[in-house]
């Protein structure tokens, strides 16, 4: 069903989803004239940049070795490259709908390759080892009378998080809105979020793990000998723990890019807090649909972060499998910048490996990969399903038509060619 | 006479030699050994396609030679016999092994002896992360056996280990003995951050000297020379773990991790102190 209406020569799309940050605000009113977006009502500054920065891409639809090519030639070339590889790898997938993720899983299976979603391994590993006590943003919005922001700056990175979900909304349980809630912020820098806090704890850089272990000890009532931990006096940490105890419903939000022992510490702390009062934890993920990729991978293969398909076997875990990124002999980068993939071993290694790049970027670099295929811009020119950072799926609608096919369509075409070649 | 497997090509594609182990190949006719399926990239190929095969494994010994850096799972799940590797191996060496001996003259990758239940692994060079560790989602790492490393090791060695011994001649990375349930880890070089985080029981000896970066949930317990040290030194010397500087005087003892049971021990050289 098309919910848009036309007023004069403008098309108005109500309740559009903005994919600029992990909040995935779904109340944006987008006004379009022809193929230009004139206004994104209700969007924050990041959201405005996302909607208004979109321009109709021009130039060729694909490049092979930096030379302009048509779509069919590029798909054919990509299929030859991927089907001929002995250890192909599909990476990226953040800027892609759930439908695109499904197509990527099917393509990876047909070429016998690996599939990796970068940057989620720490959250997944901690989920597998200590679990995750979590909820939806709606629950935080209605119930959380205590919020701790751990080393994140949502005022800057997720501008509408506080006003829509976490701090300001009034509810039956918190009729006073902001006045009924307590905001604590722990960070290493003077951030904008830190300035809004009722209790601000600026700690030393690189000491998060000590601080988390200390908090866990204080929550459990274990006596600690040190007077100062992570550059903060013990009594300040104790004040924070008193706040934990006083909370009826607490929420801890941290940067989704955090890694290693910090994530495990945060998740364990929340688990232990639940012995006294209700507490939940949520990573603040960045924009795009990385959460969706994790969901699709789990329901299609049973493995959330990285998987590989080997002839005659089911999907195998590659979290603990093989150094696939260095071992690959062909890489398909789906909707991402190939230069900033965060589990990239070294650019040197990757550069030698032939690459296929699918990109919704309006001005892609023709030399960025052996084959570059342009796709409709994610979040603006594509319809489908996207996942908010709390795991709630939302419908995404294309507000502007694109000259280029969707990621899903390109992946299906490549898979079709691969199967044709095999036959 | 041993079975000799010599890698002849130089391709970088991952090769997984699952099942190529003395207890499995013993008594197999040479032609059948040549046809033994292994993984090469995303394909399954016969062993003879990647390795030149000589000899036979009747005496339960397999020798590996050539470029083995991308040959993974050597000796994985082995239950008896001996594997001798001349060179450097890939990941998952000796993973889930339950008996026998593995010797490597060079380095090895991540997951050496992961979840092993028994046996002896000795590596002259350095190793990657997660030595003797538990696989994701698994509750226990190694439950018995010995892993000796002459060089240095990466992060999270002995994660969730339940029993057994890991000795590292050089330095080790962060989070050694993370969530350790029991067992022994000895490190003779410097040590990364937060050793013994969430350890329940077990012993970690950090003998590199210098300050040790411990978590606030560890508590000083005393300074003395433990009797077990002489026993473990004698035992490790007997198995060929040499060239390290064993501490001669008293040691400092810390107990932790108080967050999880707190019966673990971290031993450091006298006056090493906290970082």
């Amino acid at each position: 069903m098309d919910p848009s209406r036309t007023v004069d020569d403008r098309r108005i799309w109500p309740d559009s989803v903005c994919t600029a940050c992990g909040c995935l605000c779904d109340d944006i009113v987008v006004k379009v004239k022809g193929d230009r977006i004139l206004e994104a009502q209700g969007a924050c500054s990041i959201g405005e940049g996302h909607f208004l920065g979109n321009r109709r891409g021009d130039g060729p639809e694909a490049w092979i070795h930096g030379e302009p090519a048509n779509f069919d030639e590029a798909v054919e070339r990509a299929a030859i490259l991927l089907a001929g590889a002995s250890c192909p790898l599909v990476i990226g997938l953040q800027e892609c709908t759930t439908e695109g993720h499904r197509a990527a899983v099917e393509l990876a299976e047909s070429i016998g390759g690996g599939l990796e979603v970068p940057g989620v391994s720490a959250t997944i590993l901690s989920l597998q080892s200590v679990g995750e006590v979590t909820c939806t943003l709606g629950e935080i919005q209605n119930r959380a009378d205590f919020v701790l922001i751990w080393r994140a700056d949502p005022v800057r990175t997720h501008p509408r998080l506080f006003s829509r979900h976490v701090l300001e909304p009034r509810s039956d349980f918190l009729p006073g809105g902001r006045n009924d809630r307590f905001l604590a912020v722990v960070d290493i820098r003077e951030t904008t979020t830190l300035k809004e806090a009722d209790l601000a704890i600026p700690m030393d850089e690189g000491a998060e793990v000590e601080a988390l272990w200390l908090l866990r000890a204080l929550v459990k009532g274990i006596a600690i000998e040190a007077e100062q931990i992570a550059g903060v006096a013990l009594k300040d940490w104790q004040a924070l723990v008193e706040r934990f105890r006083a909370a009826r419903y607490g929420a801890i939000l941290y940067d989704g890019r955090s890694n290693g022992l910090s994530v495990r510490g945060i998740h364990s702390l929340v688990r232990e807090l639940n012995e006294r009062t209700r507490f939940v934890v949520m990573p603040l993920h960045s924009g795009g649909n990385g959460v969706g990729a994790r969901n699709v991978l789990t329901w299609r293969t049973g493995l959330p972060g990285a998987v590989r398909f080997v002839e005659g076997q089911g999907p195998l875990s590659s979290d603990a499998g093989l150094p696939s990124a260095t071992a690959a002999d062909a890489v398909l980068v789906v909707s991402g910048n190939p230069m900033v993939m965060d589990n990239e071993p070294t650019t040197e290694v990757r550069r030698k490996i032939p690459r296929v790049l699918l990109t919704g970027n309006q001005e892609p670099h023709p030399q960025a990969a052996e084959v570059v295929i342009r796709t409709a811009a994610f979040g603006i020119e594509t319809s489908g399903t996207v996942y908010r950072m709390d795991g709630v799926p939302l419908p995404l609608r294309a507000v502007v038509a694109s000259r280029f096919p969707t990621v899903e369509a390109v992946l299906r075409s490549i898979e079709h060619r691969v199967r044709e070649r095999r036959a | 006479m041993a079975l000799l497997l010599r890698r002849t090509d130089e391709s970088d594609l991952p090769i997984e030699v699952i099942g190529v182990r003395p207890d499995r190949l013993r008594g197999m006719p040479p032609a059948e050994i040549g046809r033994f399926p292994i993984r090469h990239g995303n394909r399954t190929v016969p062993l003879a396609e990647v390795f030149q095969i000589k000899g036979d494994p009747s005496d339960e010994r397999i020798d590996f030679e050539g470029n083995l850096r991308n040959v993974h799972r050597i000796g994985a799940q082995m239950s008896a016999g001996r594997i001798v590797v001349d060179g450097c191996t890939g990941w998952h060496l000796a993973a889930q092994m339950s008996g026998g001996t593995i010797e490597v003259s060079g380095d090895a990758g991540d997951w050496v002896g992961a979840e092993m239940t028994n046996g002896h692994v000795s590596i002259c060079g350095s190793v990657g992360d997660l030595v003797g560790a538990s696989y994701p989602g698994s509750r226990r790492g190694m439950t018995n056996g010995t892993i000796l490393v002459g060089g240095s090791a990466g992060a999270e060695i002995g994660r969730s280990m339940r029993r057994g011994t890991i000795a590292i001649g050089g330095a080790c990375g962060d989070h050694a003995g993370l969530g350790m349930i029991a067992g022994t880890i000895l490190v003779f070089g410097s040590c990364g951050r937060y050793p013994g985080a969430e350890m329940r029981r077990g012993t970690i000896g950090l003998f590199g000297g210098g300050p040790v970066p411990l978590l606030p949930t560890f508590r000083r317990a005393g300074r003395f020379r433990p009797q077990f040290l002489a026993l473990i030194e004698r035992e490790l010397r007997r198995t060929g773990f040499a060239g390290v500087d064993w501490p001669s005087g008293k040691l400092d003892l810390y107990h932790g991790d108080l967050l999880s049971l707190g019966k673990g021990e971290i031993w450091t050289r006298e006056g090493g102190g906290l970082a």
Side-chain angles (χ1 to χ4, degrees):
Chain A
M1 199 185 76
D2 181 356
S4 69
R5 60 200 158 88
T6 310
V7 177
D8 301 330
D9 55 346
R10 289 169 186 194
R11 197 130 177 233
I12 299 171
W13 294 87
D15 300 334
S16 292
V17 174
C18 166
T19 56
C21 78
C23 285
L24 255 62
C25 295
D26 55 357
D27 60 348
I28 315 291
V29 180
V30 181
K31 295 182 181 168
V32 180
K33 185 177 178 181
D35 56 12
R36 250 187 70 223
I37 297 175
L38 301 175
E39 198 184 339
Q41 237 172 42
C44 64
S45 55
I46 303 177
E48 272 193 348
H50 165 70
F51 280 109
L52 304 184
N54 189 61
R55 279 170 291 112
R56 194 180 173 83
D58 44 34
E61 50 194 353
W63 290 271
I64 300 173
H65 289 296
E67 297 295 323
N70 71 37
F71 179 73
D72 289 335
E73 288 165 356
V75 165
E76 180 69 31
R77 182 81 199 127
I80 292 171
L81 227 146
L82 295 168
S86 297
C87 200
L89 177 67
V90 181
I91 51 169
L93 303 164
Q94 287 105 325
E95 300 207 329
C96 177
T97 60
T98 298
E99 291 75 8
H101 294 145
R102 289 179 190 205
V105 173
E106 277 150 39
L107 176 62
E109 190 169 5
S110 71
I111 57 177
L115 191 72
E116 279 178 25
V117 187
V120 291
S121 56
T123 342
I124 292 168
L125 286 176
S126 88
L127 185 87
Q128 287 171 340
S129 56
V130 296
E132 187 177 56
V133 188
T134 192
C135 66
T136 60
L137 283 170
E139 213 174 311
I140 296 180
Q141 177 183 324
N142 280 292
R143 292 172 186 271
D145 60 343
F146 173 86
V147 177
L148 169 63
I149 306 290
W150 184 271
R151 285 218 53 200
D153 192 9
V155 172
R156 200 174 51 78
T157 58
H158 298 67
R160 294 183 74 207
L161 182 76
F162 282 175
S163 61
R164 276 196 90 207
H165 302 291
V166 171
L167 218 52
E168 287 161 28
R170 295 167 193 270
S171 72
D172 290 350
F173 303 101
L174 304 159
R178 174 68 179 95
N179 295 332
D180 284 352
R181 301 181 202 246
F182 189 90
L183 174 70
V185 181
V186 178
D187 211 323
I188 55 164
R189 290 181 313 266
E190 273 291 317
T191 63
T192 343
T193 310
L194 204 73
K195 289 188 191 117
E196 295 214 0
D198 300 315
L199 175 63
I201 301 186
M203 65 172 171
D204 286 350
E205 192 170 351
E208 300 105 87
V209 176
E210 280 103 317
L212 284 163
W213 253 249
L214 170 77
L215 286 173
R216 290 176 63 192
L218 294 177
V219 166
K220 284 193 159 191
I222 297 166
I224 295 295
E225 287 157 1
E227 284 168 12
Q228 193 178 337
I229 298 277
V232 179
L234 190 64
K235 65 173 176 45
D236 291 345
W237 290 118
Q238 273 159 343
L240 180 60
V241 171
E242 285 312 311
R243 285 288 168 183
F244 285 163
R245 292 201 173 124
R248 280 182 298 155
Y249 190 113
I252 301 184
L253 282 69
Y254 67 94
D255 190 334
R257 293 166 302 178
S258 311
N259 50 33
L261 216 49
S262 307
V263 178
R264 188 178 165 128
I266 295 167
H267 283 232
S268 304
L269 172 64
V270 169
R271 219 171 104 149
E272 286 151 13
L273 281 165
N274 272 282
E275 286 172 17
R276 293 174 170 273
T277 181
R278 176 74 176 145
F279 252 85
V280 292
V281 62
M282 190 178 294
L284 293 170
H285 288 295
S286 51
N289 194 18
V291 181
R294 204 169 109 180
N295 276 305
V296 174
L297 241 69
T298 310
W299 89 57
R300 295 304 291 255
T301 68
L303 300 157
V307 55
R308 71 202 166 98
F309 295 94
V310 176
E311 185 188 51
Q313 310 241 358
L316 304 172
S317 165
S318 66
D319 274 343
L322 297 174
S324 51
T326 45
D329 59 351
V331 175
L332 169 64
V333 184
V334 180
S335 309
N337 180 348
M339 298 305 170
V340 292
M341 305 310 303
D342 46 6
N343 59 351
E344 181 148 18
T346 60
T347 325
E348 258 325 291
V349 173
R350 194 80 100 198
R351 217 172 264 150
K352 291 181 198 146
I353 305 169
R355 269 195 308 222
V356 178
L357 170 66
L358 310 191
T359 177
N361 190 331
Q362 279 134 23
E363 287 165 8
H365 198 293
Q367 305 272 17
E370 193 167 323
V371 182
V372 178
I373 302 176
R374 297 174 77 178
T375 60
F378 173 71
I380 289 172
E381 301 175 342
T382 37
S383 297
T385 308
V386 284
Y387 277 75
R388 200 163 70 181
M389 62 188 178
D390 57 350
V392 171
L394 294 168
L396 186 66
R397 275 188 312 261
V399 293
V400 181
S402 174
R403 282 175 59 210
F404 306 117
T406 60
V407 170
E408 184 194 0
V410 179
L411 291 171
R412 298 248 180 246
S413 307
I414 297 175
E415 197 203 338
H416 187 68
R417 289 294 166 84
V418 168
R419 288 199 191 279
E420 270 180 2
R421 296 186 65 80
R422 293 270 155 86
Chain B
M1 186 185 166
L3 176 75
L4 174 66
L5 301 176
R6 184 182 285 124
R7 171 99 193 274
T8 45
D9 66 304
E10 287 293 321
S11 131
D12 288 331
L13 291 175
I15 295 163
E16 291 167 86
V17 288
I18 300 162
V20 181
R21 43 183 228 242
D23 50 318
R24 180 97 182 258
L25 299 190
R26 181 191 54 198
M28 222 182 243
E32 206 177 315
I33 291 175
R35 287 196 303 270
F36 194 88
I38 59 167
R39 264 187 225 150
H40 189 218
N42 57 4
R43 293 181 307 133
T44 303
V45 301
L47 187 64
E49 195 180 303
V50 181
F51 291 96
Q52 207 180 69
I53 304 172
K54 268 187 197 164
D56 69 82
S58 54
D59 63 351
E60 290 208 339
R61 174 174 164 161
I62 300 179
D63 291 354
F64 282 89
E65 281 179 13
N67 170 24
L68 303 163
R69 276 194 184 274
N70 54 334
V71 179
H72 309 288
R73 300 188 204 277
I74 290 179
Q77 296 173 355
M78 152 173 169
S79 64
R82 187 172 169 211
I83 290 180
V84 179
V85 180
D86 181 16
C88 302
T89 83
W91 290 22
H92 308 278
L93 175 88
Q96 295 169 329
M97 100 188 240
S98 58
T101 308
I102 298 179
E103 292 145 53
V104 178
S105 69
D107 303 335
D110 294 1
W111 302 103
V112 169
E115 296 189 6
M116 69 189 277
T117 56
N118 213 339
H120 183 95
V121 183
S122 112
I123 294 148
C124 295
S126 294
V127 296
D129 299 341
L130 296 148
V131 178
S134 59
Y135 281 116
S138 191
R139 285 173 64 192
R140 286 176 180 179
M142 68 188 286
T143 54
N144 210 346
T146 312
I147 303 173
L148 307 177
V149 177
S152 59
E156 295 193 18
I157 61 170
R159 183 174 81 187
S160 304
M161 70 187 279
R162 173 70 183 77
R163 205 183 289 120
T165 306
I166 300 174
I168 310 290
C172 80
D174 294 345
H175 320 153
L178 173 66
M180 188 171 174
I181 304 164
T184 307
I185 299 176
L186 301 178
V187 179
F188 290 86
S190 62
C191 167
R193 307 186 81 186
Y194 318 128
E198 290 186 7
M199 73 190 287
R200 293 166 63 78
R201 289 181 219 87
T203 304
I204 303 180
L206 302 172
F207 300 146
V212 173
L214 283 184
L215 283 162
T217 48
F218 278 80
R219 201 172 281 163
R220 176 87 195 271
R223 176 177 291 174
F224 55 98
R225 186 160 176 85
Q227 285 190 322
F228 78 86
L229 199 68
L231 297 174
I232 203 165
E233 181 179 347
R234 196 191 316 151
E235 179 59 20
L236 290 188
R237 278 186 196 279
R238 192 185 61 80
T239 52
F241 188 69
V244 299
D245 178 20
W246 286 87
S248 52
K250 288 180 179 170
L251 301 179
D252 284 345
L253 171 64
Y254 295 86
H255 276 157
D257 184 338
L258 299 176
L259 285 179
S260 25
L261 204 64
K263 292 190 177 176
E265 298 178 342
I266 291 188
W267 295 89
T268 67
R269 280 178 198 267
E270 186 174 2
L274 300 187

